[in-house]
């Protein structure tokens, strides 16, 4: 018989779309606090983080999500299936491939800092229900998926251009 005490309790993931909506409801000063932090861990020293998670503990994985929250807008509900992935959005914005590959090669927290810089440049619309999971899990495979989506989108655009 195993002990199912508090140590075995897994924190439930946030409602990513709801988190995006709570961010939008913050006043401009609180939103600015989130935009100004240099690294995800710096969020722990801002009141805005705790306003986004009222009465809840914030875990390290969630810091990545909040770190990118100011720069990635939630897509319209009807567009969830049509919104391009983050990697495709980078390709559509003609981001230099070297910058995308740097995210994949870097270690945390530099990889997330570089990812945010790309988001600041592109300001993509994302499906937070999907992109939130990418940031919550955030590992080698997630970074590779962004790179693959980037290159796949570039090649699809090139094929469309060749047909014209």
């Amino acid at each position: 018989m195993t002990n199912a005490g508090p140590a075995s309790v897994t924190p439930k993931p946030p409602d990513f779309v709801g988190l995006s909506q709570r961010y939008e409801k913050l006043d401009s000063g609180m939103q600015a606090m989130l935009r100004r932090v240099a690294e995800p861990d710096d969020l722990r020293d801002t009141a805005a983080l705790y306003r986004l998670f009222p009465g809840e503990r914030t875990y390290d994985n969630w810091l990545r999500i909040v770190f990118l929250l100011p720069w990635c807008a939630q897509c319209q509900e009807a567009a969830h299936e049509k919104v391009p992935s983050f990697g495709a959005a980078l390709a559509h914005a003609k981001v230099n491939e070297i910058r995308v590959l740097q995210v994949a090669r870097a270690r945390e927290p530099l990889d997330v800092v570089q990812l945010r810089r790309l988001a600041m440049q592109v300001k993509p619309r994302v499906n937070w229900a999907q992109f939130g999971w990418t940031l919550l899990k955030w590992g080698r495979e997630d970074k590779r998926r962004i790179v693959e989506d980037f290159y796949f989108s570039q090649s699809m655009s090139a094929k469309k251009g060749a047909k014209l």
Side-chain angles (χ1 to χ4, degrees), residues 58-92:
T58 53
Y59 296 91
D60 290 344
N61 296 6
W62 299 355
L63 295 178
R64 290 188 295 265
I65 297 162
V66 176
F67 192 61
L68 273 97
L69 199 57
W71 308 106
C72 300
Q74 169 63 28
C75 66
Q76 299 299 320
E77 194 164 326
H80 280 191
E81 298 301 320
K82 297 175 187 169
V83 69
S85 67
F86 191 86
L90 297 176
H92 294 311

Side-chain angles (χ1 to χ4, degrees), residues 23 26-36 46-48 51:
Y23 168 77
L26 289 175
D27 65 50
S28 59
M30 289 288 164
Q31 288 181 0
M33 266 187 222
L34 296 177
R35 286 191 306 270
R36 282 193 296 260
T46 66
R51 299 271 170 83

Side-chain angles (χ1 to χ4, degrees), residues 2-22:
T2 59
N3 181 359
S8 66
V9 175
T10 304
K12 77 174 192 177
D15 169 16
F16 302 114
V17 175
L19 184 63
S20 174
Q21 291 168 346
R22 285 194 304 274

